[in-house]
Amino acid sequence: MDTFSDNRLTDAQNELYEWIKDYMKNFQHSPSIRQMMYAMRLKSPAPIQSRLKHLQDKGYIKWQEGKARTLQIIEKISDVIPILGSVAAGGLIETYSDVQENLDISDVLKQKDVFALTVNGDSMIDACIADGDMVLMAPITNPYSIRNGTIVSALVPGLGTTLKYYVKRGHKIFLEAANPNYDPIELNPAEVVFQGKLLAVWRKV
Amino acid sequence: MDTFSDNRLTDAQNELYEWIKDYMKNFQHSPSIRQMMYAMRLKSPAPIQSRLKHLQDKGYIKWQEGKARTLQIIEKISDVIPILGSVAAGGLIETYSDVQENLDISDVLKQKDVFALTVNGDSMIDACIADGDMVLMAPITNPYSIRNGTIVSALVPGLGTTLKYYVKRGHKIFLEAANPNYDPIELNPAEVVFQGKLLAVWRKV
DNA sequence: TGTATTAGAAAACATATGTTTTAATGGATA
DNA sequence: TATCCATTAAAACATATGTTTTCTAATACA
């Protein structure tokens, strides 16, 4: 007996399921049964309820009985990815079995005014930020709040923008690379504008 | 005139707004006005409606009038982040001005059965994959399709799972680290199960 | 072909829930 | 203190919507 056949969807069920997911992605809330009815070109809510029950039995959705528009999709939402375990990048470790938790990148993405920059060059290579990486940054509103060791994008007017470690010593600010081939840049606080601090690194291969 | 004061929320409005966001994150659908009423420790729906109107006027939410549970949070959804330009990680380059394009990570996330692994150790450090990084992997269905040089997670039964470069020479498979301190692992094809190939790297700082 | 099973239409029902109205309360302002 | 405004409570209303029932049409099966 195929364990998957239990959860397999009929065409009608699958069409409804895909439509629901699309609706909820667009509107951030559940559709009503009558909306699904129209979308499925039906003229009575009964078939929809039947399909919803099947989708529920097969573990695709759930809802709060009697409550309007309370569907929930049971599965990874957009930005949640199952973390299946750890991999050794040194020796070998035991295999992973099942989902441990979910990788949720939304907490970074949903922050206010997050922006991304493309990295050029290798001055941060020892911080594992490589040429071509995307760095996700949060705007810096208060330069005095930056802590030493933070990776920031800084604009030095007339010169340009750079990604470096922020280090403040006395009244001087040093922008230090994570690559010994580059010398620190020494600046007065008035000479530099800090644009963002590093939240995350994204590398697509 | 402060342009921000228009959109600033009162404590009551902010408490409701945060509660709504939390509810919708948890349930994937909108709460009802009476639920909000109870959550805000009120005994009548009128104050909630007043606060919702203010949230709407200030551009935080919207809904479909007369329809139950149709709230939407107005904010940049999901997975599109403005790319403001490049930063030098070498010398200095010109500053960035405006949005160049958007970083869309959904193409990776939306792939079928993508999963994530936590990286342990430093054997891939020269590939800029550091201890603690999350690697996003696509399942490998056909081991013969793996190209030399791909980074894969491989299960060596009885030993464990590891993240390495895949290299095939003749009838032997070599799992090579990106760190000269680690020796390649030499295997026969029958000894190893390939689970995923690297799609992207995610590092939250 | 005839029967059983399923899907759909139609109508009616129950209620969850948005909306409105009115009055009471509390806080700010003059 | 008196007045005004915003907030809340209470009640009532309208309807969107989940649910149930009954009947018919379509489909599968023997």
Side-chain angles (χ1 to χ4, degrees):
Chain A
M1 154 113 70
D2 185 357
T3 56
F4 285 100
S5 62
D6 300 329
N7 296 344
R8 202 158 285 167
L9 299 181
T10 67
D11 288 347
Q13 288 160 12
N14 189 63
E15 185 191 4
L16 177 61
Y17 179 60
E18 293 298 328
W19 186 89
I20 292 173
K21 282 200 295 187
D22 190 57
Y23 182 99
M24 291 181 70
K25 184 182 162 72
N26 286 333
F27 293 100
Q28 300 174 44
H29 60 245
S30 164
S32 71
I33 286 182
R34 278 172 179 78
Q35 283 179 314
M36 302 182 224
M37 184 183 87
Y38 295 130
M40 296 299 113
R41 307 164 299 281
L42 297 172
K43 291 169 182 171
S44 133
I48 295 296
Q49 284 186 304
S50 160
R51 292 170 200 184
L52 290 177
K53 279 200 181 66
H54 284 125
L55 287 172
Q56 184 188 43
D57 293 342
K58 294 175 181 175
Y60 287 82
I61 60 170
K62 60 179 175 179
W63 68 88
Q64 293 167 239
E65 215 173 337
K67 306 293 183 68
R69 296 172 178 271
T70 53
L71 280 185
Q72 283 179 259
I73 305 288
I74 302 177
E75 79 162 357
K76 45 191 174 295
I77 330 178
S78 60
D79 41 16
V80 178
I81 298 175
I83 300 176
L84 292 180
S86 301
V87 275
L92 295 163
I93 61 170
E94 77 290 342
T95 178
Y96 42 80
S97 53
D98 215 337
V99 176
Q100 292 188 343
E101 54 177 328
N102 286 312
L103 167 61
D104 187 356
I105 60 184
S106 64
D107 53 354
V108 169
L109 302 183
K110 298 289 171 50
Q111 285 188 49
K112 195 76 180 153
D113 300 327
V114 173
F115 62 96
L117 298 169
T118 307
V119 175
N120 287 318
D122 64 348
S123 81
M124 296 303 285
I125 195 71
D126 286 2
C128 253
I129 300 174
D131 190 31
D133 285 0
M134 303 293 317
V135 285
L136 278 60
M137 315 291 294
I140 292 177
T141 51
N142 175 15
Y144 297 102
S145 67
I146 309 173
R147 300 170 68 166
N148 273 3
T150 304
I151 295 176
V152 299
S153 67
L155 167 63
V156 185
L159 289 175
T161 301
T162 189
L163 188 73
K164 294 284 186 297
Y165 282 115
Y166 169 94
V167 177
K168 183 167 188 179
R169 283 196 209 95
H171 294 296
K172 285 287 185 183
I173 288 171
F174 297 85
L175 298 179
E176 301 183 353
N179 182 335
N181 298 331
Y182 293 86
D183 292 325
I185 303 172
E186 181 178 339
L187 295 163
N188 292 312
E191 303 178 82
V192 59
V193 177
F194 294 103
Q195 290 158 321
K197 68 177 171 187
L198 184 66
L199 290 178
V201 180
W202 175 256
R203 181 184 315 133
K204 200 170 133 189
V205 299
Chain B
M1 155 117 67
D2 186 357
T3 55
F4 287 101
S5 62
D6 300 330
N7 297 343
R8 200 159 286 168
L9 298 181
T10 68
D11 287 347
Q13 288 160 13
N14 189 61
E15 185 191 3
L16 177 61
Y17 178 61
E18 293 298 327
W19 186 89
I20 292 171
K21 283 200 295 186
D22 191 56
Y23 182 98
M24 292 182 68
K25 183 181 164 79
N26 287 332
F27 293 99
Q28 300 174 44
H29 60 244
S30 164
S32 72
I33 286 182
R34 278 169 180 80
Q35 283 179 313
M36 302 183 224
M37 184 183 89
Y38 294 130
M40 296 298 113
R41 306 165 298 283
L42 297 171
K43 291 169 184 173
S44 128
I48 295 296
Q49 284 187 302
S50 161
R51 290 169 202 185
L52 290 177
K53 279 203 182 64
H54 284 123
L55 286 172
Q56 183 188 44
D57 292 343
K58 293 173 182 176
Y60 287 82
I61 60 171
K62 61 179 175 179
W63 69 88
Q64 293 167 241
E65 215 173 341
K67 305 293 183 69
R69 296 173 179 272
T70 53
L71 279 184
Q72 281 179 262
I73 305 288
I74 299 176
E75 69 175 353
K76 48 184 165 303
I77 314 218
S78 67
D79 32 22
V80 178
I81 299 176
I83 300 176
L84 292 180
S86 302
V87 275
L92 295 163
I93 61 170
E94 77 291 343
T95 179
Y96 43 79
S97 53
D98 215 339
V99 176
Q100 291 187 343
E101 55 177 329
N102 285 312
L103 168 60
D104 187 356
I105 61 186
S106 63
D107 52 353
V108 169
L109 301 183
K110 298 293 168 48
Q111 285 188 49
K112 193 74 181 157
D113 301 325
V114 173
F115 62 96
L117 299 168
T118 307
V119 174
N120 288 318
D122 64 349
S123 81
M124 296 302 285
I125 194 71
D126 286 2
C128 254
I129 299 174
D131 191 31
D133 284 0
M134 303 294 316
V135 283
L136 278 61
M137 315 290 294
I140 293 177
T141 51
N142 175 15
Y144 297 102
S145 68
I146 310 172
R147 301 168 70 164
N148 273 3
T150 305
I151 296 175
V152 298
S153 67
L155 167 64
V156 185
L159 289 174
T161 301
T162 189
L163 190 72
K164 294 284 185 297
Y165 282 116
Y166 169 93
V167 178
K168 185 167 187 179
R169 282 196 211 94
H171 294 295
K172 287 285 186 183
I173 288 170
F174 298 85
L175 299 178
E176 300 184 352
N179 182 334
N181 298 331
Y182 293 86
D183 291 325
I185 303 172
E186 182 179 339
L187 296 163
N188 293 313
E191 301 180 84
V192 59
V193 177
F194 294 103
Q195 292 158 321
K197 67 177 173 186
L198 184 66
L199 290 177
V201 179
W202 175 254
R203 182 184 312 133
K204 199 171 134 186
V205 299

